[in-house]
Amino acid sequence: MDKKRVAIPLVCHGHSRPVVDLCYSPVTPDGFFLISASKDSNPMLRNGETGDWIGTFEGHKGAVWSCCLDTNALRAATGSADFSAKVWDALTGDVLHSFEHKHIVRACAFSEDTHLLLTGGLEKVLRIYDLNRPDAPPREVDKSPGSVRTVTWLHSDQTILSSCTDMGGVRLWDVRSGQIVQTLETKSSVTSAEVSQDGRYITTADGSTVKFWDANHFGLVKSYNMPCTVESASLEPKYGMKFIAGGEDMWIHVFDFHTGDEIACNKGHHGPVHCLRFAPGGESYASGSEDGTIRIWQTGPLTHDDSDEALVNGSVGKVKVSADEVSRKIEGFNIADEGKTREKEKEETGNE
């Protein structure tokens, strides 16, 4: 293997403040997409492969802490310091629903079947909104023991995973009973939790440790100490042979999943790395930083036999989106230019 070549990322400008969350859509018939959340209050949608800007979702009045896309990349959701979570039409940029909360919303996630939106934040309450009945009051899951930092779904929307800002551990909730059924113990607060694409592993970052848990039996599979405090980690989704981690040293470290050996170290950001995610096919990954940029890095060959054909997950049995809809997605955003100057810095409640 050739020794640590210098990686040249695609640099995506546009945010005027730190980028704090990133989310890729699965592969759709029209490719895949990347959404970013930033303290500048303006989440952005991009082509996941090229990083090209598609549009900006305008409407939040405070820092946006969390963002996600549904399975078909037709809707986006965001959680903000303006005490709201919003659901957006990802083709037009219009707000479809705005769900008011009593405190800062730190995390949001669409269910796999796309009918439900899960939110959590400083209120210490997990809420499930039925997007088919958006005017109905949300279902409140049993009170979280601390301020919610991350949320995600697993087990075909039967289980909710959440972590807290002010305490260690990842809690798993049974959706039907609303009770905590398991806690994955960690020393520090979990700042990133990801369920692998094949549903086998939960990847967590806490302090200077990255851990991999069995997503079905909840045992600890691997735990690796990192060279610095890391804020985010992501497992390569296609073969699961490598993972990435990033944090306060501003670098993106690439590791071998089986041994924990560092394979590569990519430098380029000018501030701590807040979020990292692999693209759905594993061929690239994105990083978001305190410096306000997103960088998209190529992974390189995923197997020893790089002629192996990529079996991209996500398009089977999903709703098809026509080509003219995606061109509407690219042209139809009646929204501000990426580079437009912000008249005044938006005031942000609750920035760290």
Side-chain angles (χ1 to χ4, degrees):
M1 160 180 203
D2 49 3
K3 200 67 185 142
K4 302 192 180 177
R5 293 167 314 209
V6 177
I8 310 294
L10 294 165
V11 183
C12 309
H13 297 283
H15 287 297
S16 58
R17 300 292 317 281
V19 177
V20 290
D21 196 22
L22 291 168
C23 177
Y24 279 103
S25 74
V27 177
T28 74
D30 299 296
F32 59 95
F33 301 90
L34 175 67
I35 187 172
S36 54
S38 167
K39 290 185 185 179
D40 67 7
S41 82
N42 293 306
M44 291 185 180
L45 185 70
R46 297 178 184 274
N47 178 307
E49 195 171 358
T50 63
D52 290 343
W53 177 80
I54 293 172
T56 300
F57 299 101
E58 293 193 329
H60 278 300
K61 294 181 171 62
V64 176
W65 286 109
S66 179
C67 60
C68 57
L69 289 164
D70 74 6
T71 314
N72 309 303
L74 296 178
R75 287 176 303 179
T78 50
S80 170
D82 65 8
F83 295 16
S84 78
K86 293 185 191 295
V87 177
W88 312 77
D89 184 318
L91 299 176
T92 64
D94 297 334
V95 178
L96 299 174
H97 314 294
S98 189
F99 300 121
E100 299 308 313
H101 291 63
K102 296 186 181 72
H103 215 313
I104 293 163
V105 183
R106 281 300 301 258
C108 62
F110 282 110
S111 59
E112 197 180 318
D113 68 10
T114 75
H115 298 315
L116 305 172
L117 181 72
L118 170 64
T119 68
L122 272 64
E123 264 185 275
K124 305 183 181 180
V125 177
L126 293 168
R127 290 189 175 87
I128 299 172
Y129 293 87
D130 183 341
L131 299 177
N132 297 322
R133 296 163 54 241
D135 298 329
R139 180 177 163 205
E140 294 192 356
V141 181
D142 203 23
K143 204 163 168 59
S144 168
S147 173
V148 178
R149 172 69 187 259
T150 66
V151 296
T152 189
W153 299 81
L154 67 163
H155 303 152
S156 303
D157 304 333
Q158 292 172 41
T159 309
I160 287 170
L161 182 155
S162 76
S163 72
C164 297
T165 311
D166 37 14
M167 61 180 68
V170 170
R171 275 146 284 280
L172 295 140
W173 309 73
D174 181 291
V175 172
R176 281 163 298 192
S177 69
Q179 301 297 307
I180 296 173
V181 289
Q182 185 86 23
T183 300
L184 311 180
E185 298 293 350
T186 65
K187 205 179 287 184
S188 307
S189 164
V190 170
T191 49
S192 165
E194 173 190 81
V195 179
S196 65
Q197 199 164 270
D198 61 10
R200 284 176 63 194
Y201 297 113
I202 298 164
T203 305
T204 61
D206 74 288
S208 55
T209 312
V210 172
K211 295 183 173 71
F212 298 93
W213 311 81
D214 184 310
N216 298 303
H217 305 292
F218 309 124
L220 181 61
V221 179
K222 293 182 183 296
S223 178
Y224 294 122
N225 291 323
M226 297 289 107
C228 69
T229 299
V230 292
E231 201 171 325
S232 190
S234 184
L235 179 63
E236 188 278 303
K238 193 174 165 221
Y239 298 106
M241 306 289 271
K242 55 182 82 167
F243 69 94
I244 49 175
E248 63 180 18
D249 70 358
M250 303 187 267
W251 301 342
I252 292 99
H253 302 271
V254 186
F255 298 93
D256 183 292
F257 172 74
H258 297 290
T259 65
D261 295 339
E262 187 168 308
I263 303 166
C265 178
N266 293 330
K267 305 175 183 184
H269 281 297
H270 303 293
V273 175
H274 293 310
C275 42
L276 285 171
R277 284 295 175 257
F278 264 104
E283 68 288 342
S284 62
Y285 52 90
S287 56
S289 164
E290 184 73 19
D291 66 15
T293 67
I294 299 161
R295 288 167 196 256
I296 297 176
W297 311 78
Q298 296 307 306
T299 308
L302 289 178
T303 57
H304 302 301
D305 173 18
D306 44 298
S307 63
D308 218 16
E309 212 170 75
L311 295 168
V312 279
N313 180 31
S315 51
V316 188
K318 307 295 183 200
V319 177
K320 297 281 184 267
V321 187
S322 68
D324 59 44
E325 275 187 309
V326 85
S327 65
R328 275 204 297 133
K329 184 178 276 190
I330 292 163
E331 294 155 14
F333 264 89
N334 43 7
I335 303 182
D337 256 358
E338 177 180 12
K340 84 167 186 190
T341 8
R342 309 281 171 213
E343 325 74 52
K344 59 179 169 58
E345 274 228 338
K346 302 260 187 353
E347 98 184 355
E348 310 147 15
T349 345
N351 283 353
E352 291 175 345

